[in-house]
Amino acid sequence: MKAIFVRMGLVTTVAAAIAAGVLYWPPEIGHHDQLMQRLDADLGLQNEDYATLRARGQYEDVLMGKIEQHATQTYNQSEQVERILGFMKSKNVVLPDGQLASVAYYDAMKYFFPGDMPLVTGHYEKWQHAHPQSPAPIIVKASNTLAVEAQLLRPALQMRGDFIERSKADPEKLKAVQEYLLANKKIGSLDPYWYNLMVEVSIFLGASQDEVKSLVQEGLERHPKNIQLPVLASNRFASQWGGAPNDIYRYAQWAQTLPSMKDRPDLYPRIYANAMQTQYGLKLFQLVDVDWDTMRAGIRALARNFSGARNPNIGAALACLRGDRSMTHEIMIPANFTPAFSVWPDPDAFGVCQRWALQIGLYDVQASAEADASPAPQDAVNP
């Protein structure tokens, strides 16, 4: 009987935590529906039943899919781009997964430019002439130029591979992009993505860590919801871009203390997840130190405060790599957990971690969590 009551108590606690998490959903839920409607109108799609999509856990993926579709299909239709970005920025829309919507839009666009055609046909100059106070043509022109001149460097900021070694980017042409952005800073920096582009090209040019941190600090002072900026900048502190492994640890600590990030504890796991996905893989915590108390709090914020499949998978992958079985179990075992295999650093990692998490029972999870909030690392492969 005692065991039954213990398990019932834990189930009640978990249910309460899940219910509490709903209270922390981004307050922009109405903005999300309005954004979806605008995207549908531009793309010629029929409005869907958003309540049904949410109930099925599909809303976030559908919204992001439409943002990507809009960004890749209408990049040369300046009026539509202006309208959708204008809405995103006027409402300061944060997506359900915690990302700033306008930054996610530009990120979706950057791998789908048709080479240099818009650059050589004067497309952006015509756009800027029609909208002289808009940062969008400045941002999109610079991003298009980087897509041409840094074709292999850009993927190195998002995934593992030998992109840097194979790149033949001309530093002078990259410097020209940086100078263009600086010459147009007055209007360009009205958009959060100006800082993302400046960080990106600064990393490519080998700027110092202090220079990159200065861009992050200024960018977040002006656009405090741009959580993608400090995550992007963290690449400069990884060894493939000239950093020592524990530079990531020190940078994450620094970034988390910035005023605009104090209410975003999810930044900490986002930075480590980026390091895992772009360079360190399964060896992340063998090579990079971590403050696990900060990480635990960040993983819980990531999984509970923001929806979508990727965030819980990021938390589970980090917890499993660190050897925190109780947290891995907490994230992976609930019935509503959906795999996002692209997040995991190895094709077998998901299955190994899930089986490892299943080996701990409900009572063991509670006892482990109460006994030690920061457990010693274990081995998920050979527990």
Side-chain angles (χ1 to χ4, degrees):
M1 286 294 290
K2 181 178 180 181
I4 293 173
F5 282 115
V6 168
R7 295 188 181 195
M8 286 180 64
L10 181 58
V11 170
T12 303
T13 300
V14 172
I18 293 171
V22 174
L23 298 177
Y24 291 97
W25 270 41
E28 297 90 351
I29 193 166
H31 295 158
H32 298 156
D33 288 355
Q34 294 174 49
L35 176 58
M36 189 91 85
Q37 290 167 358
R38 289 165 182 262
L39 292 167
D40 285 342
D42 281 352
L43 294 169
L45 301 174
Q46 185 175 356
N47 288 164
E48 300 176 73
D49 185 339
Y50 304 145
T52 300
L53 288 176
R54 285 193 175 93
R56 293 175 178 169
Q58 299 172 338
Y59 184 91
E60 297 77 18
D61 289 340
V62 170
L63 176 57
M64 193 63 219
K66 289 178 180 179
I67 288 173
E68 292 173 354
Q69 186 178 355
H70 193 284
T72 57
Q73 290 185 6
T74 63
Y75 69 91
N76 61 344
Q77 299 177 36
S78 57
E79 295 303 322
Q80 288 191 8
V81 175
E82 286 285 349
R83 285 198 303 271
I84 206 71
L85 284 171
F87 174 79
M88 290 176 176
K89 290 189 286 186
S90 68
K91 304 298 184 182
N92 222 1
V93 178
V94 174
L95 296 174
D97 69 355
Q99 296 188 89
L100 190 60
S102 63
V103 172
Y105 185 90
Y106 284 122
D107 273 342
M109 183 185 290
K110 70 182 186 181
Y111 292 113
F112 292 93
F113 290 109
D116 62 357
M117 184 176 66
L119 296 168
V120 300
T121 57
H123 171 69
Y124 300 116
E125 286 72 20
K126 295 172 187 173
W127 183 351
Q128 193 166 15
H129 180 75
H131 298 274
Q133 298 305 310
S134 170
I138 297 168
I139 299 299
V140 182
K141 180 181 179 179
S143 188
N144 191 165
T145 306
L146 282 178
V148 173
E149 303 299 343
Q151 186 175 13
L152 287 176
L153 292 178
R154 281 190 139 180
L157 298 174
Q158 292 187 294
M159 65 186 78
R160 282 177 287 163
D162 60 350
F163 302 106
I164 299 173
E165 292 79 4
R166 293 192 292 120
S167 174
K168 297 179 180 178
D170 183 343
E172 291 302 315
K173 291 181 177 179
L174 298 178
K175 184 71 175 175
V177 177
Q178 186 181 57
E179 290 172 352
Y180 170 76
L181 286 167
L182 288 170
N184 289 277
K185 181 177 182 180
K186 183 177 180 181
I187 293 177
S189 63
L190 296 173
D191 192 301
Y193 205 70
W194 184 91
Y195 289 94
N196 293 57
L197 289 172
M198 280 294 294
V199 162
E200 192 175 358
V201 75
S202 295
I203 291 173
F204 297 158
L205 289 169
S208 72
Q209 293 184 357
D210 285 343
E211 288 178 88
V212 171
K213 287 169 72 174
S214 179
L215 283 167
V216 171
Q217 193 159 7
E218 181 183 328
L220 288 178
E221 286 171 358
R222 295 193 63 181
H223 307 285
K225 293 189 176 184
N226 185 7
I227 196 168
Q228 292 103 305
L229 177 62
V231 176
L232 171 67
S234 69
N235 285 286
R236 173 60 184 86
F237 300 83
S239 57
Q240 67 178 345
W241 295 103
N246 271 326
D247 287 348
I248 292 279
Y249 167 73
R250 287 183 284 271
Y251 171 78
Q253 295 284 83
W254 172 82
Q256 192 64 76
T257 62
L258 293 172
S260 60
M261 292 293 109
K262 286 184 177 178
D263 64 346
R264 292 296 301 268
D266 56 300
L267 173 63
Y268 199 79
R270 288 179 194 268
I271 288 173
Y272 276 82
N274 184 74
M276 175 181 70
Q277 292 162 355
T278 60
Q279 181 166 1
Y280 298 112
L282 295 172
K283 295 183 178 180
L284 175 65
F285 293 122
Q286 297 175 34
L287 300 172
V288 184
D289 288 343
V290 62
D291 181 328
W292 196 246
D293 288 338
T294 301
M295 181 65 82
R296 267 185 158 239
I299 287 173
R300 285 205 170 101
L302 187 67
R304 292 177 179 176
N305 298 358
F306 304 102
S307 51
R310 283 182 58 84
N311 289 341
N313 279 265
I314 286 171
L318 292 172
C320 184
L321 284 185
R322 178 58 170 74
D324 188 335
R325 187 184 289 189
S326 65
M327 172 149 277
T328 309
H329 183 284
E330 176 184 322
I331 298 171
M332 296 189 79
I333 299 310
N336 62 351
F337 178 81
T338 303
F341 296 108
S342 63
V343 166
W344 293 79
D346 180 90
D348 298 324
F350 177 87
V352 170
C353 290
Q354 188 176 54
R355 289 191 296 272
W356 183 62
L358 279 167
Q359 293 174 17
I360 190 167
L362 286 172
Y363 177 79
D364 297 324
V365 173
Q366 186 181 42
S368 175
E370 291 175 352
D372 187 0
S374 184
Q378 303 170 39
D379 186 344
V381 180
N382 299 295

